[in-house]
Amino acid sequence: MTAQIDVLTSREVPLGGPRAMRVRRTLPQRHRSLIGAWCFVDHYGPDEVDQTGGMVVAPHPHTGLQTVSWLFEGEIEHRDSAGNHATVRPGELNLMTSGRGISHTEVSTDATTVLHGAQLWVALPDATRDADPGFHHYAPQPVRGPGWEARVFLGEVLGASSPVPTHTPLLGAELMLAPGRSLEVEVDETFEHGVLLDVGVVEVEGTEIKPSDLAYVPHGRRTLTVTAHEEARLLLLGGPPFGEAIVMWWNFIGRSHDEVAGHRRAWMEQVEGGMSDGRFGLVDTDLEPIPAPVLPNVRLKERR
């Protein structure tokens, strides 16, 4: 079977405002919004924090999704309105579930000199998208073979599995390959997959990708072959086609324009009310909350 590889290139955007740290975004794009339930992929760094100012993302809201933080270098302090306080470290998963509504902050620590990692979102299915907010931390042990090493933080692959529960079947793993190594990975044929390249140059089923590219592979394959031309590190993401239409705008995922507009209104009522407690709760921080942008003059469209 010949893979139909779609290479998604990144665009640079500010994280948390026009003066904020710059990140490279590969998902969503105009012609592809989801890979499984994965709906958002940002890749950043390596950034010298003394030059860029690092990551300082003030309180902001989320609905209908999970955030997945994965670092290669540096540390980020996470605080959320459900009372969770954690440090994101390289090789450790921090997964926050917004459910019906949560707010949180992300700030690189004083000990961080270089910040380098990925921030990803997962869309929650209709059945559980209004569930209670939650948080999971997991430090996967590496699994190794000739010329490769992997850390599986969600799902199962390469003989390793994660205990972290998910609302739809998901795969998330960091994979490192030695120069010249070609690895055939057994995958679930019901999954579509994405390969986000961090460093190096690799081929995914014979198609070359470069750092910050995201290679999309449709479902129907039982194996996925990745070949490294030089030492490489990548994230392997996957899941069955999501099968639900979503409306995604700013930090919200809903099912209609009116629903998302309601989320925005609820957040702004909290912001303009001096961050009194509301739908999105309160974060223990001195940082001022981020106001929501103005909604566009056209109705938000569904994504699939």
Side-chain angles (χ1 to χ4, degrees):
M1 177 178 178
T2 301
Q4 301 170 354
I5 306 298
D6 183 13
V7 179
L8 309 180
T9 57
S10 63
R11 64 191 187 280
E12 191 173 270
V13 298
L15 183 68
R19 298 181 181 177
M21 187 181 85
R22 311 294 289 186
V23 301
R24 299 175 294 280
R25 182 162 299 163
T26 49
L27 204 68
Q29 296 206 9
R30 186 180 300 275
H31 68 288
R32 182 160 304 283
S33 297
L34 297 116
I35 298 176
W38 298 99
C39 61
F40 182 93
V41 176
D42 276 356
H43 180 222
Y44 54 87
D47 289 335
E48 299 288 341
V49 169
D50 61 352
Q51 298 177 20
T52 66
M55 182 181 291
V56 183
V57 184
H60 60 285
H62 288 294
T63 58
L65 58 86
Q66 294 176 300
T67 63
V68 175
S69 299
W70 188 262
L71 284 177
F72 306 122
E73 295 178 85
E75 292 183 342
I76 297 171
E77 183 180 39
H78 164 98
R79 294 178 184 268
D80 67 44
S81 58
N84 300 296
H85 180 200
T87 302
V88 186
R89 296 184 176 90
E92 299 182 4
L93 170 71
N94 281 266
L95 182 148
M96 182 186 75
T97 301
S98 72
R100 63 180 177 272
I102 199 170
S103 57
H104 73 132
T105 63
E106 298 161 293
V107 179
S108 48
T109 66
D110 292 340
T112 298
T113 57
V114 176
L115 194 60
H116 183 190
Q119 181 70 39
L120 312 105
W121 293 358
V122 175
L124 292 174
D126 192 60
T128 59
R129 66 192 181 94
D130 290 325
D132 293 339
F135 186 84
H136 287 86
H137 170 86
Y138 175 56
Q141 291 299 309
V143 291
R144 300 181 176 92
W148 64 269
E149 178 178 295
R151 286 176 168 81
V152 179
F153 51 87
L154 289 173
E156 182 176 2
V157 75
L158 293 167
S161 62
S162 166
V164 177
T166 59
H167 294 252
T168 58
L170 286 176
L171 172 62
E174 177 188 290
L175 178 60
M176 299 182 68
L177 295 172
R181 182 68 167 93
S182 184
L183 180 64
E184 184 178 64
V185 183
E186 292 185 6
V187 294
D188 189 325
E189 64 181 329
T190 67
F191 282 24
E192 48 191 0
H193 291 88
V195 177
L196 175 70
L197 184 60
D198 175 44
V199 293
V201 176
V202 305
E203 288 184 7
V204 178
E205 292 296 330
T207 298
E208 184 176 286
I209 63 172
K210 297 177 181 178
S212 295
D213 285 348
L214 179 65
Y216 167 77
V217 185
H219 63 89
R221 299 193 62 85
R222 295 182 179 180
T223 62
L224 187 62
T225 301
V226 182
T227 302
H229 295 300
E230 54 189 64
E231 187 172 1
R233 177 168 54 201
L234 57 90
L235 294 183
L236 176 59
L237 310 173
F242 189 58
E244 297 181 23
I246 63 172
V247 174
M248 182 175 174
W249 178 81
W250 195 45
N251 296 315
F252 305 126
I253 293 181
R255 294 299 186 273
S256 70
H257 173 98
D258 292 340
E259 182 183 345
V260 170
H263 296 334
R264 180 194 183 277
R265 185 166 54 251
W267 174 246
M268 289 307 297
E269 286 173 355
Q270 281 194 235
V271 172
E272 293 167 353
M275 285 309 290
S276 57
D277 199 5
R279 175 177 188 148
F280 299 99
L282 299 174
V283 184
D284 182 14
T285 179
D286 294 329
L287 294 172
E288 293 295 321
I290 300 174
V294 176
L295 278 163
N297 291 324
V298 297
R299 291 185 68 82
L300 300 170
K301 294 182 179 180
E302 291 182 344
R303 297 174 179 266
R304 294 182 180 272

